[in-house]
């Protein structure tokens, strides 16, 4: 009788461990680059990504930048959120037009994630990176802050969630940006090592 209880207890413990492991977010090997040339140089030295993946990720990050970058009603509000000299007009950054009176942060790098846990691996996604007011960097989804726009690390796949589009929506005013706690300030901080 006692032996059976021990077996049942071990079975329950094993099932609980399996259930906890099943709830863990998928982890992604990721690397940040300040520009396409840096990614391609890393690819030439046996980096995490190939030169073709660098080009595809950079194109995806640029498209996401145009679609989902935060938009502000003035240059002053944008620079309060992203730092002096880190913003430009929408018209300067969007190739198919855009308003000269709406301002967006400049693309300050891009983040690429690789899904190693999936069969066959493959590139997960790319995210544009922006400067934040504290001198660090953040992704477009505002889910993470980084101390640098270069380096490698492991992070949850949720970091690559596609942010909502900001095209055609009212740009943020100072009050709106402040009520949200500032761009990139509501997130957890992450370090990406080189």
């Amino acid at each position: 009788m006692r032996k059976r209880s021990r077996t049942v207890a071990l079975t329950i413990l094993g099932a609980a461990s399996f259930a906890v492991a099943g709830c863990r977010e998928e982890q992604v090997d990721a690397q940040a680059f300040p520009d396409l040339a840096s990614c391609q140089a890393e690819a030439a030295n046996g980096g995490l990504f190939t030169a073709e993946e660098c080009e595809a990720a950079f194109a995806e990050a640029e498209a996401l930048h145009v679609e989902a970058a935060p938009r502000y009603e003035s240059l002053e509000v944008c620079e309060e959120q992203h730092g002096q000299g880190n913003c430009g007009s929408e018209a300067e950054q969007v190739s198919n037009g855009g308003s000269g009176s709406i301002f967006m942060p400049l693309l300050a790098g891009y983040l690429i994630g690789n899904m190693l846990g999936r069969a066959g691996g493959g590139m997960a996604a790319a995210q544009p990176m922006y400067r934040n007011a504290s001198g660090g960097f953040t992704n477009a989804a505002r889910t993470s802050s980084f101390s640098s726009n270069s380096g490698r690390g492991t992070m949850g796949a949720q970091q690559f969630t596609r942010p909502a589009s900001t095209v055609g929506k009212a740009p943020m005013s100072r009050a709106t940006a402040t009520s949200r706690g500032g761009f990139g300030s509501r997130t957890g901080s992450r370090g990406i090592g080189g």
Side-chain angles (χ1 to χ4, degrees):
M1 183 72 173
R2 182 173 169 100
K3 190 173 185 179
R4 182 174 177 206
S5 297
R6 186 178 291 171
T7 303
V8 170
L10 288 174
T11 302
I12 292 171
L13 180 62
S17 297
F18 182 75
V20 170
C23 294
R24 187 172 175 224
E25 182 181 1
E26 183 179 8
Q27 295 296 298
V28 175
D29 280 340
Q31 193 160 1
F33 300 97
D35 53 39
L36 178 59
S38 300
C39 186
Q40 290 175 325
E42 185 80 14
N45 292 321
L48 189 59
F49 302 101
T50 65
E52 292 78 25
E53 289 171 332
C54 290
E55 287 182 33
F58 190 75
E60 182 180 340
E62 282 187 323
L64 193 55
H65 167 67
V66 169
E67 179 185 322
R71 286 169 162 79
Y72 301 95
E73 68 178 12
S74 72
L75 180 61
E76 292 75 26
V77 174
C78 185
E79 289 185 338
E80 286 172 5
Q81 301 300 315
H82 300 279
Q84 187 87 24
N86 294 322
C87 296
S89 74
E90 182 182 51
E92 294 168 338
Q93 299 185 60
V94 177
S95 61
N96 62 351
S99 173
S101 61
I102 295 176
F103 296 87
M104 304 164 50
L106 301 175
L107 188 61
Y110 63 114
L111 184 66
I112 310 173
N114 191 3
M115 301 296 239
L116 295 178
R118 289 188 176 165
M123 187 167 40
Q127 283 273 324
M129 295 180 77
Y130 305 110
R131 298 287 280 185
N132 61 28
S134 61
F137 297 86
T138 186
N139 58 0
R142 299 190 313 159
T143 53
S144 289
S145 292
F146 305 95
S147 59
S148 172
N149 64 350
S150 64
R152 184 187 291 192
T154 301
M155 58 185 62
Q158 290 292 325
Q159 301 303 316
F160 292 92
T161 299
R162 192 173 188 86
S165 174
T166 58
V167 174
K169 297 192 175 157
M172 287 189 276
S173 65
R174 178 172 284 120
T176 307
T178 303
S179 72
R180 294 180 181 177
F183 192 82
S185 64
R186 71 178 174 123
T187 61
S189 213
R190 297 186 175 276
I192 292 185

